[in-house]
Amino acid sequence: MEKSIDSKSQPLLRIAIVEDHLLIRKSMKMLVNSFEGMEVVIDAENGQTFLDEVANCPIDVVLLDIQMPVMNGYEACKHLLQWHKDVKVLVVSQFTTKQSIHRIMTIGAHGYFTKNSAPEELEAAIRSLHTHGYYFGSELGTVLREAILWDKKNIVEKVNLNHKLSDRELEIIGFICKEMSSEEIGAQLFISVRSVEAHRRNIMEKTCSQNVIGIILYVLKRKLINLEEL
């Protein structure tokens, strides 16, 4: 059955699926194509094939597996974001160890979705990623908390009272964690959208972050916000 998109609808979200298991990849493609306003324009069996295709086929969101032949998800994510910084990366994997989650988030992925999740939750995850810039699946629970705070030496930074962020910037980060848009944040703080965007750019620069996930990692590690605020 064809999806009807009227002239007032938002443009189609262009989705890529990178998964080495054919049955899973084709099933995901059928599922995503059933979502209103979305279309799978790339389905690739490994990271290298995906990168070759995305060079000539613009996308908005990629659903990326981690363990694949030829080129795994870690390498594919790293190379993708070097050249296509606006693409949102949603990892879809069976691996839920704190090491794997932390590694892919540190590389620059915007969200993590487990293959044990309900199919209908995938649509919400993609829309959250596109609209708010990140997605944390509630099904990860305490594993997510441990993953965010984990590093190779298992050292968690203590509270840092000398952090670089201003009170206003921390306030804006709190609103970002609540999935508020720049327009909504501006209305809440009685400032212009342009001012909110300027603050966001300053936050990215101060925290050396590539995306919202990087900002969240920064403030969580320094205990400037609580995970419950996400």
Side-chain angles (χ1 to χ4, degrees):
M1 180 177 179
E2 287 190 12
K3 294 177 286 187
S4 59
I5 306 295
D6 60 41
S7 59
K8 296 182 180 180
S9 298
Q10 294 295 322
L12 279 171
L13 278 181
R14 297 161 298 185
I15 311 295
I17 298 173
V18 188
E19 161 67 56
D20 62 316
H21 290 92
L22 180 60
L23 180 59
I24 295 176
R25 189 170 73 251
K26 295 304 181 183
S27 297
M28 287 178 62
K29 181 176 181 178
M30 290 180 62
L31 177 63
V32 173
N33 278 336
S34 73
F35 299 153
E36 189 72 16
M38 298 187 199
E39 180 180 10
V40 176
V41 295
I42 294 175
D43 67 282
E45 67 272 18
N46 61 65
Q48 186 59 64
T49 300
F50 163 62
L51 292 176
D52 291 342
E53 293 190 34
V54 79
N56 299 306
C57 183
I59 62 170
D60 301 298
V61 176
V62 56
L63 311 184
L64 182 66
D65 191 16
I66 289 181
Q67 189 177 39
M68 296 179 291
V70 185
M71 180 184 289
N72 61 36
Y74 301 118
E75 291 299 316
C77 182
K78 181 169 65 176
H79 290 298
L80 171 71
L81 295 178
Q82 285 178 346
W83 301 101
H84 305 277
K85 297 184 183 299
D86 293 334
V87 174
K88 300 297 187 298
V89 179
L90 179 64
V91 175
V92 182
S93 176
Q94 63 185 355
F95 292 105
T96 56
T97 65
K98 58 181 180 290
Q99 293 92 337
S100 61
I101 297 173
H102 182 89
R103 181 180 176 188
I104 197 69
M105 292 301 182
T106 301
I107 290 172
H110 303 79
Y112 207 101
F113 191 87
T114 76
K115 290 182 179 179
N116 292 325
S117 303
E120 59 269 18
E121 293 179 16
L122 183 59
E123 180 178 5
I126 295 172
R127 295 197 188 282
S128 175
L129 210 71
H130 179 69
T131 303
H132 304 296
Y134 74 96
Y135 173 80
F136 283 149
S138 58
E139 71 280 358
L140 290 174
T142 57
V143 174
L144 176 59
R145 183 192 303 272
E146 294 175 359
I148 289 174
L149 300 177
W150 182 87
D151 64 25
K152 290 182 180 179
K153 296 180 181 179
N154 288 323
I155 297 174
V156 177
E157 297 181 41
K158 296 181 179 179
V159 176
N160 182 0
L161 298 179
N162 297 316
H163 59 81
K164 305 174 183 178
L165 299 169
S166 68
D167 290 341
R168 173 64 88 188
E169 288 165 344
L170 286 173
E171 191 174 20
I172 288 174
I173 291 172
F175 288 129
I176 292 172
C177 290
K178 294 176 182 176
E179 300 188 351
M180 293 176 66
S181 66
S182 293
E183 290 77 8
E184 292 169 330
I185 295 172
Q188 184 75 27
L189 298 177
F190 302 103
I191 61 176
S192 68
V193 173
R194 190 172 182 177
S195 294
V196 176
E197 291 298 328
H199 280 302
R200 293 180 74 131
R201 288 193 296 272
N202 288 337
I203 291 168
M204 297 276 282
E205 183 176 344
K206 287 182 177 181
T207 60
C208 298
S209 300
Q210 302 179 57
N211 53 43
V212 173
I213 292 295
I215 295 171
I216 292 173
L217 287 169
Y218 181 95
V219 295
L220 284 176
K221 280 194 170 187
R222 288 157 179 80
K223 301 182 181 178
L224 301 176
I225 63 171
N226 297 316
L227 190 60
E228 287 73 19
E229 294 180 50
L230 298 180

